[in-house]
Amino acid sequence: VSEQPVASPETTATETENSEPVTKLGPGLNLWISDAETDQGTDFCLDVTMSSIKGLLSMQYSIRWDPKILEFKSVKGFTLPFMDNNDFGTHKISEGILTAVWIEDNLQGVNKEEGDLMYQLCFTAIGNSGDETPVRFWSSPTPFEVVVLPENIIPLTSHKGIVKIR
């Protein structure tokens, strides 16, 4: 049995070869993780925001970071209908991986505007002064998928955040 190819973050993230972020919108649904600069031992949260979209039914992806630099604490501040902690898999957080699968339970679709907050990712900075890590969407172990009305799959374009420890 051959496996279907899975889109890698390199093919869906909007970054140039030298890893400088590109601010323009990519295809489909764009998701952003905010940047942060914090002190060692400090708890902080990153905003996860989205591009404007009409009729959003579901989405899934993984999020990765360096677990030697950041310790995952929680997900909070949900703004999508029916989204809660049950939509996030924390079984791999010791590896720096959070999985996410959300569905709009009424199947009516959700409309959102550019820059709307979806939720916040909260961490403790456990690395050393000068350390930094990207916090980025990843297509493994949960592959990228976004579904909009009337059950069409569209691309996910991801925009990473960078966390720096002062």
Side-chain angles (χ1 to χ4, degrees), residues 10-22:
E10 292 75 26
T11 60
T12 53
T14 54
E15 298 171 18
T16 60
E17 286 181 25
N18 62 3
S19 295
E20 288 298 315
V22 176

Side-chain angles (χ1 to χ4, degrees), residues 59-126:
M59 63 183 151
Q60 66 177 41
Y61 46 80
S62 297
I63 297 174
R64 291 190 176 203
W65 63 90
D66 185 336
K68 293 186 233 76
I69 298 175
L70 302 179
E71 179 182 284
F72 176 79
K73 296 308 250 181
S74 66
V75 183
K76 69 177 191 177
F78 307 107
T79 65
L80 291 176
F82 308 104
M83 181 178 270
D84 61 27
N85 282 303
N86 295 317
D87 295 313
F88 296 88
T90 57
H91 58 287
K92 291 184 169 274
I93 59 169
S94 64
E95 300 170 48
I97 300 170
L98 180 72
T99 59
V101 177
W102 168 82
I103 186 166
E104 194 276 300
D105 293 351
N106 288 332
L107 302 179
Q108 299 299 306
V110 173
N111 300 330
K112 287 295 196 175
E113 298 301 319
E114 186 83 26
D116 279 356
L117 178 72
M118 283 196 319
Y119 55 86
Q120 292 183 308
L121 295 168
C122 300
F123 298 93
T124 300
I126 60 170

Side-chain angles (χ1 to χ4, degrees), residues 37-51:
E37 190 169 321
T38 189
D39 295 317
Q40 182 183 32
T42 302
D43 292 343
F44 67 97
C45 298
L46 301 174
D47 290 344
V48 179
T49 57
M50 62 196 316
S51 59

